Amino acid sequence: MCFCPTKQGILGVTLTSSLPALKPEICNQTAQLGGHCNGPSTLQLGVLYLSLGLLTIGGGAIRPCSLPFGVDQFDQTDEKSRKGLNSYYNWYYTTSTAALVFSMTVLIYIQTNVSWAIGFGIPTLFMFFAIIIFFAGARFYVHVPPEGSILSGFAQVFVASFKKRRLNLPCSHDISKQELMLYNPPTRGSRIFRLPLTSQFR
């Protein structure tokens, strides 16, 4: 699951700011001027870099997946579900923006003026509750099975682009006619929708 690297990463960052064994020695101003400060150990740096790496992997996996997964919960053939989908988009971006404002103001203030451990502990606690809520509702979610292979799809795009690089598009000024002429196999499920064809890119 995408939650696992994020959870472990934020927990690791919290531990590096709270456990004395994972923090470098405190260096006062006199020692700094004399150049006698000891830097972080290999273990301390290793835990910090590993935590930041897990956070990056987890964040990169969650953000692109959370919005489409939420959209999959709505049946776009139903009028009531389509209205709910519009509300979902509003709430998704509202809560995302509110969380960003909170992290850029309140959390940074706490980290700077109160404690780094508390400042990192708050998002760790939120992540813990998010995981509990997510798995508590897992049996109610709609799971749309993926079609085909991601890697083969990438390869097909590159091969087709190279082979057809000199071809002229049919009906280049009429997207609807062009879409009827192009290869467009049917989808297997009724809840899977394709992106509309566009003439914005060659």
Side-chain angles (χ1 to χ4, degrees):
M1 286 299 298
C2 305
F3 275 119
C4 292
T6 309
K7 174 189 70 175
Q8 293 160 353
I10 191 69
L11 182 62
V13 171
T14 305
L15 292 176
T16 59
S17 64
S18 55
L19 292 181
L22 296 178
K23 292 193 296 185
E25 294 179 12
I26 297 174
C27 187
N28 57 35
Q29 193 172 8
T30 307
Q32 284 180 354
L33 293 174
H36 301 297
C37 289
N38 294 324
S41 67
T42 306
L43 173 66
Q44 292 166 346
L45 282 176
V47 172
L48 177 63
Y49 290 154
L50 179 63
S51 302
L52 293 175
L54 289 172
L55 265 177
T56 305
I57 294 168
I62 286 177
R63 290 189 184 99
C65 297
S66 58
L67 187 58
F69 182 75
V71 172
D72 286 343
Q73 309 310 304
F74 297 90
D75 184 2
Q76 297 185 35
T77 59
D78 180 61
E79 181 65 28
K80 187 176 179 181
S81 288
R82 282 200 296 269
K83 290 180 181 178
L85 182 60
N86 292 332
S87 178
Y88 168 74
Y89 280 120
N90 292 337
W91 278 107
Y92 181 89
Y93 287 109
T94 299
T95 53
S96 298
T97 306
L100 187 63
V101 170
F102 177 78
S103 63
M104 293 293 172
T105 54
V106 177
L107 283 183
I108 288 179
Y109 176 82
I110 292 172
Q111 290 169 351
T112 307
N113 298 293
V114 181
S115 167
W116 281 95
I118 295 174
F120 284 122
I122 292 172
T124 304
L125 196 62
F126 282 147
M127 175 60 73
F128 177 73
F129 285 125
I131 292 171
I132 291 174
I133 293 170
F134 178 80
F135 284 110
R139 62 194 177 100
F140 300 108
Y141 301 142
V142 174
H143 298 277
V144 178
E147 290 188 12
S149 168
I150 298 174
L151 298 178
S152 64
F154 274 117
Q156 288 171 346
V157 167
F158 283 115
V159 172
S161 299
F162 182 77
K163 284 184 176 179
K164 300 177 182 181
R165 65 190 183 279
R166 302 190 192 283
L167 290 179
N168 293 320
L169 287 174
C171 305
S172 57
H173 300 293
D174 192 337
I175 289 295
S176 58
K177 287 184 180 178
Q178 189 181 127
E179 195 163 18
L180 293 173
M181 299 174 72
L182 295 174
Y183 175 67
N184 192 20
T187 56
R188 296 176 189 171
S190 60
R191 299 177 65 89
I192 299 174
F193 295 86
R194 297 184 186 279
L195 292 173
L197 186 66
T198 176
S199 60
Q200 184 178 0
F201 302 107
R202 181 171 175 270

